[in-house]
Amino acid sequence: MLSQTLQDALNEQMKNEFFSAYLYKAMAAYFESEDLPGFAVWMRVQAMEEMTHGEMFFNFICEAGGRAVLHAIDAPKGDYASPYDVFEYALEHEYFVTDRINKLMDLARAESNHATQIFLQWFVTEQVEEEASFGLMKKKLKRVEGDGRGLLMLDQEAGTRTFTPPAGLTVTGA
Ligand code: FEO
């Protein structure tokens, strides 16, 4: 059972997660256009992860007896000054998402909605990982600024990233 306020807030966060997928896909397109295929893979994998996050919100809202509502998604920023600029923007976006998750958790606590708190716990932990991985790549890119060879090596490293769906995320018609 979800209150209308909590249901609205969960739907808003579902939109934020799907927007994140759209944003990282736009960043992948930027890297493709810059002939940096490894970073493009990194961002494509990130976009797929964000789709699963949106899916998890969709599942939870429905299972909790609520109504999933798909809001309009803004066009993401597609042009960037450099690979470093991309990760700086992306990290700021993740800080925004963390803030939204924390506020959602505050709301679930205020309403004593324990099921929503347990559901959100996964995202609280996930955001720590998200900030760490974007932050690390930003630091590495700072280190290779102006060093084309270093950038290509980082691109190769970024290209080894693979997609693994979160444990427990299943879609069944049963
Ligand atoms: Fe699902 Fe990167 O926040």
Side-chain angles (χ1 to χ4, degrees):
M1 171 77 188
L2 298 172
S3 70
Q4 189 64 47
T5 308
L6 194 49
Q7 177 178 297
D8 290 348
L10 286 163
N11 275 314
E12 184 65 22
Q13 187 55 28
M14 176 172 66
K15 184 196 76 175
N16 289 336
E17 299 292 347
F18 285 130
F19 172 78
S20 299
Y22 220 40
L23 176 64
Y24 297 139
K25 200 77 174 167
M27 290 175 172
Y30 163 80
F31 283 123
E32 292 286 2
S33 74
E34 291 291 306
D35 297 321
L36 291 167
F39 282 111
V41 165
W42 199 98
M43 281 298 176
R44 289 165 92 142
V45 169
Q46 187 63 39
M48 290 169 83
E49 283 195 5
E50 300 297 353
M51 288 299 291
T52 66
H53 297 171
E55 189 70 24
M56 286 163 78
F57 273 91
F58 184 95
N59 283 351
F60 179 75
I61 293 165
C62 295
E63 282 172 15
R67 175 75 161 90
V69 180
L70 283 295
H71 296 298
I73 296 179
D74 291 336
K77 177 174 157 65
D79 290 326
Y80 299 90
S82 65
Y84 178 83
D85 185 35
V86 174
F87 276 87
E88 188 169 50
Y89 193 91
L91 183 57
E92 287 302 318
H93 177 68
E94 288 300 328
Y95 290 152
F96 162 78
V97 173
T98 300
D99 182 62
R100 300 320 302 169
I101 295 286
N102 288 341
K103 290 210 163 59
L104 204 41
M105 182 65 102
D106 290 344
L107 180 61
R109 282 221 176 99
E111 293 194 4
S112 299
N113 189 315
H114 295 199
T116 301
Q117 288 175 59
I118 290 166
F119 166 69
L120 290 173
Q121 193 60 53
W122 185 90
F123 286 89
V124 171
T125 307
E126 174 69 7
Q127 281 312 117
V128 176
E129 285 177 25
E130 296 272 77
E131 289 184 14
S133 74
F134 278 96
L136 181 62
M137 195 59 90
K138 183 184 158 189
K139 276 187 202 152
K140 286 180 176 177
L141 281 164
K142 186 75 184 167
R143 218 170 282 153
V144 301
E145 247 177 359
D147 169 11
R149 228 178 119 80
L151 180 63
L152 287 182
M153 283 175 67
L154 256 191
D155 184 62
Q156 275 193 346
E157 180 190 315
T160 61
R161 188 177 181 188
T162 55
F163 173 66
T164 313
L169 176 67
T170 53
V171 179
T172 67

